[in-house]
């Protein structure tokens, strides 16, 4: 899934690399071949990528457990691939190495702690963890970045699957706490997003685009107006349109008689004609044309076609996949 036209997994790989870590293992499942095709051997990131197969989604602690041979006796970072963290993780990694902790977790204050793993603190030291508690003991949620020494493998060997049949990372960290190992916390002051939901993906897209810098590599005619931080990729053609940034348009796109508003990401090979769209993410090879009302707050998948029908009788006609949402007037 691209955020500001870059796969979200790439942000995590870059954050790890920028922290001085070049040996990276990616836990893969059903989408293994897609991930391998996108990431490759890591050379494009100046890193060395290894892939470790998890045959079923058996939990984050299970992902740690099956990585034991790869990790050996080294301390390591676990970074959840759908998380975005401003400012990277280098400072956290340096703090972990200097502090000689057994584990370090990142925390941030949230309004809905019951939706996350929640930490109970005594100063900076973690004294308890709960996974999605009904009555949270704090508003500090776990950010999806963890630092461990090999002591975590003792915990992953000892804990039992939760009610949902998974080895929970919160249970593994709780094991460390109960056995008097030092679990340190660090409060994240910048923004953080877990992009598991539509609104979170759109917000992450907004946050990344808010730092965008203007770059016009495509072709725009004299009737097109650009405002603010607008990025247009090579080979794209924009005619008689308004582009109001921050926004990004990928390569080889065709935009005609269209308004594209703030916080919109349009991926490669997309065609948009006679339409309006803002605060949305459009994936590759989509066609949007002749839509009479503005599209907003939307995630549009690969090779989707959205058009105004001329067929009679007049009706809405949908071909919609599992777990989708369609709002109509």
């Amino acid at each position: 899934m691209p955020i500001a036209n870059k796969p979200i997994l790439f942000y995590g790989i870059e954050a790890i690399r920028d922290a001085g870590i070049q040996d990276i293992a990616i836990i893969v499942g059903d989408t293994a071949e897609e991930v391998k095709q996108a990431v490759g051997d890591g050379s494009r990131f100046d890193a060395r990528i290894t892939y470790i197969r998890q045959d079923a989604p058996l939990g984050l602690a299970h992902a740690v457990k099956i990585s034991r041979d790869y990790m050996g006796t080294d301390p390591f970072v676990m970074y959840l691939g759908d998380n975005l963290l401003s400012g990277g993780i280098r400072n956290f990694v340096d703090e972990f190495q200097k502090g000689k902790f057994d584990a370090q977790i990142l925390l941030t204050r949230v309004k809905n702690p019951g939706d996350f793993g929640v930490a109970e603190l005594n100063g900076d030291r973690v004294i308890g963890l709960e996974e999605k508690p009904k009555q949270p003991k704090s508003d500090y949620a776990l950010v999806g970045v963890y630092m461990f020494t090999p002591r975590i493998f003792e915990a992953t060997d000892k804990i039992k699957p939760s009610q949902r049949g998974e080895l929970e990372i919160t249970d593994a960290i709780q094991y460390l706490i109960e056995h008097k190992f030092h679990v340190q916390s660090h409060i994240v002051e910048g923004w953080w997003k877990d992009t598991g939901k539509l609104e979170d993906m759109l917000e992450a897209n907004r946050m990344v685009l808010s730092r965008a810098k203007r770059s016009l590599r495509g072709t725009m005619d004299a009737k097109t107006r650009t405002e603010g931080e607008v990025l247009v990729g090579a080979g794209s053609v924009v005619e008689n349109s308004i582009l109001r940034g921050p926004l990004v348009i990928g390569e080889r796109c065709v935009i005609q008689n269209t308004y594209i508003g703030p916080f919109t990401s349009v991926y490669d090979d997309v065609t948009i004609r006679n339409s309006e769209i803002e605060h949305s993410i459009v994936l590759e090879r989509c066609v949007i044309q002749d839509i009479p009302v503005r599209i907003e707050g939307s995630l549009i998948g690969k090779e989707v076609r959205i058009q105004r029908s001329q067929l009679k009788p007049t009706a809405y006609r949908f071909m919609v996949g599992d777990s989708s949402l369609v709002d109509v007037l």
Side-chain angles (χ1 to χ4, degrees):
M1 176 60 62
I3 299 295
N5 280 12
K6 182 164 71 174
I8 191 166
L9 179 61
F10 290 10
Y11 292 96
I13 294 172
E14 291 168 356
I16 293 167
R17 176 206 62 201
D18 292 344
I21 301 168
Q22 290 185 300
D23 293 303
I24 301 172
I26 300 178
I27 308 299
V28 293
D30 293 341
T31 59
E33 292 309 312
E34 261 189 290
V35 175
K36 290 178 182 179
Q37 185 175 3
V39 178
D41 63 0
S43 55
R44 65 184 293 184
F45 303 99
D46 193 24
R48 293 176 290 271
I49 304 290
T50 297
Y51 297 94
I52 299 174
R53 178 82 186 195
Q54 187 181 36
D55 292 330
L58 297 175
L60 294 177
H62 180 263
V64 171
K65 186 173 184 175
I66 64 175
S67 305
R68 186 171 195 162
D69 290 343
Y70 175 83
M71 298 301 175
T73 58
D74 293 330
F76 62 94
V77 172
M78 181 171 75
Y79 195 117
L80 304 192
D82 59 355
N83 278 233
L84 270 179
L85 189 66
S86 68
I89 63 170
R90 183 171 197 116
N91 291 340
F92 309 131
V93 172
D94 290 345
E95 180 183 353
F96 178 62
Q97 290 178 316
K98 292 175 183 176
K100 300 188 183 303
F101 312 123
D102 296 300
Q104 180 169 270
I105 61 175
L106 306 188
L107 304 173
T108 189
R109 275 200 153 104
V110 295
K111 296 179 180 179
N112 51 333
D115 292 340
F116 300 92
V118 175
E120 184 180 1
L121 302 179
N122 181 3
D124 291 334
R125 189 158 184 162
V126 183
I127 60 174
L129 288 177
E130 293 180 285
E131 182 65 29
K132 298 180 180 178
K134 292 183 179 179
Q135 295 181 317
K137 295 178 180 177
S138 80
D139 58 356
Y140 286 112
L142 276 74
V143 173
V145 181
Y146 311 79
M147 287 118 204
F148 296 118
T149 66
R151 294 191 185 278
I152 192 65
F153 297 120
E154 176 184 329
T156 58
D157 285 343
K158 296 291 186 181
I159 63 173
K160 303 297 183 185
S162 64
Q163 288 185 341
R164 57 181 184 171
E166 297 186 5
L167 293 180
E168 308 285 358
I169 198 65
T170 46
D171 290 344
I173 299 170
Q174 183 65 34
Y175 176 94
L176 295 179
I177 295 168
E178 292 173 356
H179 289 78
K180 309 304 180 184
F181 295 115
H182 189 154
V183 179
Q184 182 74 0
S185 69
H186 187 108
I187 309 302
V188 174
E189 300 296 341
W191 58 260
W192 158 75
K193 273 294 169 187
D194 177 343
T195 59
K197 298 178 181 178
L198 170 61
E199 54 268 29
D200 295 322
M201 286 186 279
L202 292 174
E203 180 65 7
N205 193 60
R206 185 192 69 79
M207 289 172 169
V208 174
L209 284 177
S210 67
R211 301 180 296 178
K213 298 299 180 185
R214 187 177 178 90
S215 173
L216 303 177
R217 300 175 60 203
T219 302
M220 278 148 287
D221 70 2
K223 294 182 180 180
T224 292
R225 189 168 81 242
T226 63
E227 303 173 4
E229 305 301 334
V230 173
L231 293 84
V232 179
S236 290
V237 177
V238 185
E239 298 175 348
N240 192 32
S241 296
I242 298 173
L243 308 181
R244 184 172 297 156
L247 63 84
V248 58
I249 296 170
E251 298 182 348
R252 302 175 301 280
C253 294
V254 176
I255 311 296
Q256 295 175 327
N257 307 314
T258 287
Y259 164 79
I260 301 182
F263 308 116
T264 302
S265 294
V266 178
Y267 214 20
D268 299 338
D269 301 299
V270 169
T271 297
I272 307 178
R273 294 188 176 100
N274 306 318
S275 301
E276 300 185 10
I277 185 169
E278 67 181 18
H279 190 45
S280 295
I281 300 172
V282 183
L283 273 61
E284 59 262 45
R285 299 183 296 279
C286 288
V287 176
I288 301 171
Q289 59 185 19
D290 304 321
I291 305 303
V293 295
R294 183 173 298 176
I295 298 169
E296 64 176 37
S298 298
L299 171 63
I300 300 172
K302 299 176 184 178
E303 301 177 350
V304 169
R305 190 176 188 95
I306 302 175
Q307 60 190 15
R308 188 173 190 178
S309 176
Q310 303 300 320
L311 297 176
K312 301 294 184 181
T314 302
Y316 293 117
R317 296 176 178 86
F318 305 117
M319 183 171 69
V320 180
D322 294 345
S323 304
S324 296
L325 170 68
V326 177
D327 285 332
V328 297
L329 294 173

